[in-house]
Amino acid sequence: MQQWSQQQRAKGRKIAFVPTMGFLHQGHISLLEEGRKNADLLVLSIFVNPTQFGAGEDFEDYPRDLVADASLAEKAGVDIIFAPGAAQMYPNGYASWVDVEGITDVLCGASRPGHFRGVTTVVSKLLNIVAPDIAYFGNKDFQQLAVIRRMALDLNMACEIVGLPIVREADGLAMSSRNSYLSVEQRQQALCLSESINSACRMVAAGVVAAAEILTNIRKDIESHSEARIDYLKICHQLSLQDQVEVDQDSVLLLAVFIGKTRLIDNGFLLK
Ligand code: AMP
């Protein structure tokens, strides 16, 4: 992979890169399509990264379908699928980690200790291997994107980091490989995530600015769903990810909710 990239770059070709854990859906495809438009070559990585899963999380169960992914990738104009094995990425004796401080302490970082260390480590490795000019990430993983931007800036990575909007199902559910875990009933209840973002936006549009008032309101809504258990529900500044008392242009509602055993995340800006 690294040699191919070096050869292409030597020929002056621009390389776009989309890192994923596979089981591709339209959210991933939107990143690939944007990459296809903005570079000469498009690389997709598929790697279910063990180091970003905690003990008892869904690493083993995470959905995998390389055959279906390859066919979707081909349609999206991918030139190379890079799908390494865990033992190639983390051979015996592996000992190096990338840690971003501060913004990894909150939200998903607080609920999933070590998660972002796994993410930043694997993304660093992938960027070193693929050596792209530009890499695409989804706003769906809002904190992940903020952490990766911080890392790229702090570590002088040459690659441009681009974030793209959340792709949703027709009824509003944010697309996710993990949606495949949901039963029919849970799939219906999972709408409480996107609905709570919409209802928060409506409150803000109606003049409510107190974050606590908005959160109390939507907390009640979510908790009325029998399968839902809130992990976190917060209104944060888009850059610092610190809690806000009052909503402004920089406010993002971020939530993680278990629907049954499936942990789903979603987010949205409150002032449009
Ligand atoms: P994953 O395979 O879940 O690790 O995601 C790979 C990339 O796709 C990440 O940058 C995600 O933020 C992005 N992504 C996942 N779901 C969506 C979505 N519904 N809309 C936009 N981007 C997404």
Side-chain angles (χ1 to χ4, degrees), residues 2-3 32 34 43 75 77 104 111 148 188 225 234 239:
Q2 207 166 37
Q3 273 170 16
L32 292 171
E34 198 57 27
V43 179
K75 276 193 211 116
T104 57
S111 306
I148 288 168
Q188 192 55 34
H225 294 76
K234 284 178 178 286
L239 298 178

Side-chain angles (χ1 to χ4, degrees), residues 19-22 25 27-28 30-31 62 136-141 144 164-168 174-177:
T20 77
M21 298 206 297
H25 50 66
H28 301 117
S30 72
L31 306 181
Y62 196 84
Y136 293 87
F137 298 86
N139 270 329
K140 157 87 189 330
D141 299 272
Q144 170 174 285
L164 293 178
I166 301 176
V167 176
R168 298 179 178 280
M175 289 193 185
S176 165
S177 308

